[in-house]
Amino acid sequence: MTQATSWLAIPADSDFSFQNLPYGIFSTAASEEKRVGVAIGTWIIDLAEAARLGLFHDWEARYAEAKLVFRQITLNAFIALGAAAHQALRQRLRQLLTEPEAGLRAGAEEVLVEQAAATLHLPVQIGDYTDFYSSQEHATNVGKLFRPDNPLLPNWKYLPVAYHGRASSIVVSGTPIRRPWGQVLSGEATVPVFEPTQALDFELELGFIIGKESRLGVPVPAAEAENYIFGLVLFNDWSARDIQRWEYQPLGPFLSKNFASSISPWVVPLAALEPFRVPGPVQDPAPLPYLQTTGALNFDLQLTVEIITSQSTPAVVTRTNARYLYWNIRQQVAHHTVTGCNLRVGDLLATGTISGGEGPDAHGCLLELTEGGRKPLQLPTGAARTYLLDGDEVVMRGWARTENSRVGFGEVRGKIVPSAYENP
C-alpha cells in the first residue's frame, strides 16, 4: 500500500508516512496521562482512546494481555506481547487508515491528536544498555589519532567491540544536557585537575530496542537475532573527550559517557524498514562461525547532524548513512549473548558512532570532524567549533526513502546547558 490509499492527508515529505507507523509515549495539556500513540503525518493516533472506542476489539480478544496495554507509561508491556501481536496491530492500523468505514475516521476528533499539541516522553523503560563500536570508518579515524600506522586494534575485525553503558541517564529528545565535570589531564601536566569538560562531543548512532527475552545461559544464534528486535531509534551518545582520555585506560569509558545519552521519541518498527535493506561491507577476514551472516542486513538510512549555535541558524555538519556499518545487528546480538548473557524487553543496543561515505562531513562526531580537536570545524554561518559550547544545540535526523515511500525517525535533539555542579 502507499500513502495515497489512506483517507488521512499525509505530507509527502513526512517522516511518519503510512509505511512507517512508529510507536511512542505522549501526553497532552488536556490529558496529562502518558499513553501509547502512533505517529502518522502531523498527527498521533491515540491508541488508548482508539481501544476505548472498540477499534481494537478483535485484536484485544486474540491477545489476553492486551487489555489496557496502551495506557502504560512505556512501550514495554506492548512490546512484550510479541511479534505476532505487533504484526496484527500493524495490519489493523493500516485497515483503519485505508477504510473510512472501519471506525477511525468517525472517531477522528477523539482519536487523532496534533503532534504540535503533544508532549513526547521516553518511549521505553531501558533495563540495560550496550554501546557497540561497529563503524570501521569511525574506528579507523579515531585510531589514526593515536596509532597512525596501525589504527585498528587486532581484535576489531574479529568481534563487535562494545561496552556496557548506563541506562538511567538515557533521556528523550529535547532534554537539556548539562555539561559534566570530571578529572582532566591537560597538555604536559602529570597531575589531573577537576573541572567542567572542555571537549563535549556528540556521537551519531542508531539504537535497537529489544523486543523479546532470551534465556540466561542460552546464546541467540545470528540467524534468529532479528526475532529479538522490536524497532529502532536515533541515538546520541554524548561524550566528554578530555575526561575520556584520562579515564579510559585500561577499562574503557566511564564518567565520560554516563552523564547523558539522548534517544528519539518514536520507535520505528523493524518491519517498516524492510524495503530499505542493503548488503553491508565485505568482512575480511571472515568472522568466526557464530558471527557469520548472509544477505542484506544493513539499512539504507540517511543520517545528518546539525549544530545550532546561539548566534546562528542550523548548520549541517554530518552527512552519512547506516549502510556503512561493518558489524550488523544480527552479529551484535549473537556476540552479546554468546556467553549466555540474556536479553530483556526494553534493553537498548546501540551501534556506536556511524561514519562513512564521501566528503569531509561523513563523520559522526566532532572528534573526527576536528581531527581530535586540532582542526576547528568552520560552520557555514561563520562560527567555528572544536567541541560544543554552552548554548549549542545538536539535532540528529534519519530517514529512508524510495520513489514511493519515506520512513523516518523524526529527530533527536539536545541543548548544552552549564553544569549545576559547584567545585568545592
Side-chain angles (χ1 to χ4, degrees):
M1 296 182 182
T2 64
Q3 291 183 12
T5 63
S6 177
W7 53 263
L8 184 64
I10 304 170
D13 60 349
S14 174
D15 275 0
F16 309 123
S17 65
F18 180 75
Q19 290 80 7
N20 192 348
L21 305 181
Y23 296 94
I25 299 294
F26 78 102
S27 63
T28 62
S31 174
E32 296 183 356
E33 176 191 10
K34 295 179 182 179
R35 53 210 189 268
V36 179
V38 165
I40 180 74
T42 59
W43 302 91
I44 298 172
I45 303 174
D46 185 337
L47 297 190
E49 188 64 18
R52 187 188 68 81
L53 294 178
L55 299 184
F56 304 134
H57 176 75
D58 291 344
W59 180 81
E60 289 178 326
R62 291 170 58 188
Y63 302 99
E65 298 178 357
K67 195 69 174 177
L68 301 181
V69 73
F70 299 130
R71 293 198 177 277
Q72 304 298 312
I73 63 172
T74 68
L75 294 173
N76 292 56
F78 169 67
I79 294 173
L81 293 176
H86 305 155
Q87 182 59 30
L89 182 68
R90 186 173 176 83
Q91 291 174 350
R92 176 56 175 162
L93 288 170
R94 284 172 171 255
Q95 181 185 26
L96 290 169
L97 287 165
T98 55
E99 299 178 11
E101 69 280 3
L104 180 59
R105 188 169 190 173
E109 187 172 337
E110 298 171 273
V111 175
L112 293 181
V113 176
E114 292 184 10
Q115 288 190 33
T119 299
L120 301 177
H121 304 279
L122 194 70
V124 292
Q125 181 180 351
I126 301 168
D128 284 299
Y129 151 52
T130 301
D131 195 29
F132 284 87
Y133 196 40
S134 298
S135 166
Q136 182 176 353
E137 289 83 357
H138 172 64
T140 300
N141 292 336
V142 172
K144 285 180 178 178
L145 298 175
F146 308 100
R147 302 174 301 277
D149 297 329
N150 190 25
L152 287 182
L153 291 172
N155 66 346
W156 200 90
K157 285 197 170 183
Y158 287 91
L159 57 84
V161 174
Y163 72 94
H164 292 294
R166 184 69 184 176
S168 65
S169 53
I170 297 176
V171 296
V172 73
S173 173
T175 304
I177 305 301
R178 290 200 173 274
R179 182 176 298 274
W181 286 61
Q183 290 192 26
V184 176
L185 187 68
S186 300
E188 300 300 319
T190 58
V191 177
V193 296
F194 183 64
E195 64 182 17
T197 178
Q198 301 302 309
L200 188 54
D201 200 354
F202 61 82
E203 291 191 9
L204 170 63
E205 307 189 22
L206 289 175
F208 296 84
I209 304 297
I210 297 298
K212 177 182 176 181
E213 296 196 354
S214 66
R215 292 172 55 197
L216 180 64
V218 180
V220 175
E224 299 176 15
E226 288 189 16
N227 296 334
Y228 290 80
I229 304 298
F230 172 70
L232 285 70
V233 292
L234 286 175
F235 192 72
N236 184 352
D237 187 28
W238 303 94
S239 297
R241 301 299 189 185
D242 44 3
I243 297 173
Q244 184 177 2
R245 282 193 295 271
W246 173 238
E247 73 172 4
Y248 85 100
Q249 299 183 61
L251 295 181
F254 180 41
L255 301 183
S256 57
K257 299 276 193 173
N258 74 353
F259 59 95
S261 299
S262 301
I263 69 171
S264 53
W266 296 108
V267 183
V268 175
L270 193 60
L273 296 173
E274 286 298 321
F276 310 104
R277 287 184 179 270
V278 292
V282 174
Q283 296 184 331
D284 183 21
L288 296 177
Y290 80 97
L291 287 172
Q292 291 181 6
T293 57
T294 59
L297 303 179
N298 281 16
F299 298 98
D300 184 10
L301 299 175
Q302 301 289 334
L303 303 168
T304 65
V305 180
E306 292 179 348
I307 295 178
I308 307 172
T309 72
S310 57
Q311 297 86 24
S312 70
T313 55
V316 176
V317 298
T318 296
R319 292 179 177 86
T320 185
N321 194 298
R323 70 187 305 150
Y324 298 113
L325 286 170
Y326 188 88
W327 295 106
N328 62 59
I329 184 57
R330 292 191 186 186
Q331 293 169 320
Q332 292 172 21
V333 169
H335 187 65
H336 198 303
T337 63
V338 73
T339 58
C341 175
N342 57 312
L343 301 174
R344 296 179 295 184
V345 169
D347 285 355
L348 176 71
L349 307 187
T351 59
T353 303
I354 301 173
S355 299
E358 302 296 330
D361 58 357
H363 304 307
C365 63
L366 286 170
L367 181 67
E368 293 176 76
L369 287 164
T370 67
E371 298 180 7
R374 294 191 289 266
K375 184 179 178 181
L377 176 67
Q378 299 296 322
L379 302 179
T381 55
R385 288 292 182 273
T386 302
Y387 290 105
L388 298 169
L389 302 181
D390 290 349
D392 289 350
E393 188 168 24
V394 176
V395 183
M396 297 177 176
R397 294 185 175 88
W399 67 93
R401 178 186 291 166
T402 66
E403 184 178 350
N404 298 316
S405 65
R406 178 185 172 103
V407 170
F409 293 82
E411 64 181 29
V412 56
R413 67 169 60 220
K415 187 173 185 177
I416 309 304
V417 297
S419 174
Y421 187 89
E422 294 183 6
N423 196 4

